[in-house]
Amino acid sequence: MAAEGKAIAKVNDLVIFVPYVVPGDVVDLQIKRKKNKYAEAEAVKFHELSPNRAVPFCQHYGVCGGCKWQVLPYPEQIRYKQKQVEDNLRRIGKIELPEISPILGSAKTEWYRNKLEFTFSNKRWLTNEEVRQDVKYDQMNAVGFHIPGAFDKVLAIEKCWLQDDISNRIRNAIRDYAYEHDYSFINLRTQEGMLRNMIVRTSSTGELMVIVICRITEEHEMALFKQLLQFVADSFPEITSLLYIINNKCNDTINDLDVHVFKGKDHIFEEMEGLRFKVGPKSFYQTNSEQAYNLYKIARDFAGLTGNELVYDLYTGTGTIANFVSRQARQVIGIEYVPEAIEDAKVNAEINDIKNTLFYAGDMKDMLTQDFINQHGRPDVIITDPPRAGMHQDVVDVILFAEPKRIVYVSCNPATQARDLQLLDGKYKVKAVQPVDMFPHTHHVENVVLLELR
C-alpha cells in the first residue's frame, strides 16, 4: 500500500498506483495517467481476490471517494499506517529514532465522526452502472458528497457510515421535503438555485448542530427557506442548534459570512475530562472526539509537566490542547492564525475557569519571533500541531532559538513532520513516537513525537 491509500503494482521498473484494490489481488489494469517514473491505473477486471480483503460495508463505496480502505480489514489498515509513519520518519527524516510505539487504533471504526458536510446540486452524478443500464431519474437534484475531480457533480448519498445515523435521517428528510415542495438545488456552474450545503455536528454531550446554507436573492425565497427550517425544527426536536447562512458568493466558504440562529443556541459543547469546549459553526474541533481525547492525553504525557513549566502551544486552534494541559503547567501561551479560533480559545478558558492561559492571533512566522520570546519568556515545553504543510522554516528557526527542554510535535502528515524533525535534529533527539489512528478506512494518520534537547 502507498501513502495516498492506493496499492502499488510493478511492471518491469514502472511503479503503478491503483485505488480500491489490496495487496494480493490479481487484476487487469487500465493505465489512466503515465509519468516518467510512475503511472496511475484502475482495476478493470478481477481474476483473483486477495485473502487479505474485507467486504465494503457502504453502498457508496468506490464512487463517493471517501473511506477507500473499507476493502482492508481494520488490523491491516493500522498495520499499513504504522508502516507509513516508520517509512516517512526513516526515509525522509534520516534521523536516529527510538523504537516506534504500536499505533493506537480507534475503538470506533464506524459512526466516529462528529462533523459532516453535504452538498446540494442539480447535477446528480450517475455511476458507471447506472449509465450502462441507462437509468433515468425523474429527479436529477441530489444531496451528498462531491465526486472527486468534478466540482459541480454530487453523488446522492442514501446512508453514510461516518457519523451518527441522525445525520442520515436529517439529510434524507430535508432532501425529501425539498423534492416534494419543488425547492431548487444549486447549479454550481451558473450559480442559480437555492439549497447549497448543510453541515451536521454531533457532540459527546449529546448536543446536535445543523447548519443549512442557501442562496437567496428574492424575498419569497426567504419565506420558502424558513418553511423548510421550520419543518426541520418540528421533525427533529433533538437539534439543539439550528442555524442558517445565506451565501450568494461563487464559492462555498462560510468564514466570511454571518450565521443566523433559527432555533436553539449558536453553539454546542464538547466535553473532555470535565472540561467543556464551546464549538461554534466555524470552529475547528478534531473530528473523532474519542480519539482526540487519546491523542491529547499522549501529547500531555510526552510534555512531562510538573506544574512549573511555561508551555507554548503553536497552531493552538480553539485552544483545546492549551486548555487541556493548563492544569499541569504554570502558564500556557497559544498562538493561532485564525482570529475567530483564538476568540473561541479565550471563551473556552473562561468557561472552564482557567486563569493561566494567554492566546494570540496572527501568522505563526510573524508572531513567534525572538522579540515575542524575550517578552513572554523562554518556554520549557513547546507543543506544536501544524497544518498538513508542516512548520515554516522561520518557525523552526525560532524554536531552535528558544531552546525548550522538550518539544511535542503532533502531526497529521508524517512526511512533512519528518522533514521538520530533520531540521531540528542538530539540537534535538527524538525520544518517543506514538502513531494514533483518527480516521478508520482512510490512509490518514496522526503522529505524536517527543523531542528532547541533546
Side-chain angles (χ1 to χ4, degrees):
M1 299 300 288
E4 303 83 27
K6 296 171 182 173
I8 295 174
K10 276 190 177 169
V11 179
N12 302 324
D13 289 332
L14 185 66
V15 173
I16 305 172
F17 295 103
V18 194
Y20 307 114
V21 296
V22 302
D25 284 343
V26 180
V27 296
D28 289 345
L29 295 181
Q30 183 171 13
I31 300 284
K32 291 292 181 186
R33 278 176 67 211
K34 190 168 183 300
K35 301 278 186 181
N36 287 340
K37 294 191 173 167
Y38 72 94
E40 292 184 27
E42 68 178 44
V44 288
K45 185 180 178 185
F46 285 79
H47 292 276
E48 199 179 301
L49 293 180
S50 167
N52 245 358
R53 243 181 181 271
V55 178
F57 49 83
C58 178
Q59 70 197 74
H60 305 296
Y61 174 76
V63 186
C64 99
C67 306
K68 289 189 173 78
W69 276 10
Q70 280 181 45
V71 280
L72 272 177
Y74 190 59
E76 286 294 296
Q77 293 182 29
I78 59 176
R79 185 169 76 84
Y80 281 113
K81 290 185 186 189
Q82 177 91 18
K83 190 173 181 303
Q84 183 186 329
V85 168
E86 293 187 2
D87 286 353
N88 277 315
L89 295 190
R90 291 206 160 90
R91 202 180 66 246
I92 299 168
K94 296 186 176 67
I95 52 174
E96 193 187 330
L97 293 168
E99 191 175 333
I100 295 175
S101 301
I103 187 168
L104 184 67
S106 177
K108 279 187 184 168
T109 58
E110 295 160 9
W111 319 117
Y112 64 83
R113 281 184 73 102
N114 56 39
K115 180 188 176 191
L116 274 185
E117 183 166 345
F118 301 102
T119 302
F120 294 85
S121 172
N122 72 337
K123 286 190 164 55
R124 179 191 185 124
W125 176 263
L126 298 178
T127 64
N128 290 339
E129 207 165 299
E130 288 169 329
V131 171
R132 273 198 300 274
Q133 292 173 1
D134 199 24
V135 174
K136 292 279 189 288
Y137 285 101
D138 298 336
Q139 184 57 263
M140 285 305 286
N141 287 332
V143 56
F145 296 129
H146 277 287
I147 288 291
F151 83 95
D152 63 332
K153 300 277 187 7
V154 164
L155 178 71
I157 295 291
E158 194 58 45
K159 180 175 183 175
C160 175
W161 294 74
L162 283 172
Q163 191 176 27
D164 185 287
D165 198 50
I166 186 72
S167 167
N168 289 313
R169 298 202 301 276
I170 293 168
R171 182 196 61 248
N172 292 349
I174 290 176
R175 173 200 68 194
D176 294 346
Y177 183 92
Y179 285 174
E180 200 182 316
H181 295 85
D182 206 23
Y183 280 62
S184 58
F185 287 34
I186 192 98
N187 178 323
L188 288 164
R189 284 187 186 276
T190 63
Q191 289 294 309
E192 294 166 313
M194 183 195 291
L195 298 177
R196 284 190 79 128
N197 309 86
M198 67 174 283
I199 298 166
V200 181
R201 296 187 95 139
T202 51
S203 89
S204 54
T205 58
E207 291 171 291
L208 177 60
M209 177 186 285
V210 176
I211 311 159
V212 187
I213 299 143
C214 61
R215 183 180 173 278
I216 301 276
T217 52
E218 294 175 35
E219 255 179 64
H220 76 277
E221 290 177 330
M222 196 66 222
L224 272 177
F225 182 56
K226 291 213 165 159
Q227 285 169 24
L228 168 67
L229 292 171
Q230 192 59 55
F231 160 75
V232 176
D234 294 342
S235 306
F236 299 96
E238 55 269 67
I239 295 174
T240 56
S241 173
L242 180 56
L243 313 174
Y244 68 93
I245 296 173
I246 296 165
N247 178 8
N248 293 344
K249 303 179 301 167
C250 292
N251 63 48
D252 284 340
T253 57
I254 59 168
N255 284 338
D256 53 343
L257 298 171
D258 293 333
V259 180
H260 307 275
V261 177
F262 185 80
K263 178 202 159 196
K265 300 176 299 187
D266 65 352
H267 60 274
I268 56 178
F269 282 103
E270 274 290 351
E271 210 167 81
M272 207 181 273
E273 261 185 19
L275 293 173
R276 285 164 68 75
F277 295 100
K278 184 181 175 187
V279 179
K282 300 175 187 178
S283 299
F284 171 79
Y285 193 84
Q286 281 282 5
T287 46
N288 183 341
S289 301
E290 288 177 26
Q291 278 297 79
Y293 177 43
N294 290 325
L295 183 76
Y296 298 154
K297 277 195 295 188
I298 291 161
R300 186 175 62 191
D301 290 348
F302 278 10
L305 302 175
T306 63
N308 299 317
E309 290 83 6
L310 171 60
V311 179
Y312 281 16
D313 180 28
L314 311 184
Y315 312 94
T316 191
T318 55
T320 317
I321 292 181
N323 287 316
F324 186 70
V325 304
S326 63
R327 290 170 179 169
Q328 281 81 22
R330 174 168 54 85
Q331 188 177 41
V332 186
I333 296 174
I335 306 173
E336 164 62 41
Y337 179 66
V338 182
E340 291 88 352
I342 284 297
E343 290 314 305
D344 283 347
K346 289 175 182 173
V347 168
N348 286 330
E350 205 175 307
I351 288 166
N352 294 292
D353 198 29
I354 294 167
K355 304 270 199 297
N356 62 337
T357 53
L358 282 175
F359 292 103
Y360 293 95
D363 192 319
M364 190 62 63
K365 66 181 190 318
D366 301 333
M367 290 295 297
L368 188 71
T369 59
Q370 295 190 10
D371 285 349
F372 185 93
I373 285 167
N374 292 335
Q375 188 186 338
H376 293 88
R378 283 179 182 266
D380 301 294
V381 178
I382 284 182
I383 300 172
T384 181
D385 185 2
R388 290 192 68 74
M391 296 192 292
H392 191 280
Q393 176 73 55
D394 293 356
V395 177
V396 175
D397 291 343
V398 176
I399 290 174
L400 290 169
F401 163 78
E403 283 194 342
K405 293 188 202 75
R406 281 183 296 285
I407 300 169
V408 180
Y409 190 151
V410 182
S411 170
C412 58
N413 185 347
T416 54
Q417 184 182 40
R419 178 204 67 203
D420 293 348
L421 294 179
Q422 191 180 39
L423 296 173
L424 294 163
D425 188 50
K427 201 170 267 191
Y428 285 89
K429 186 179 176 65
V430 174
K431 299 293 284 185
V433 180
Q434 176 64 70
V436 181
D437 184 27
M438 305 289 286
F439 307 107
H441 312 304
T442 75
H443 64 279
H444 298 293
V445 61
E446 292 268 344
N447 193 42
V448 192
V449 172
L450 169 63
L451 302 109
E452 288 184 354
L453 265 175
R454 288 188 180 279

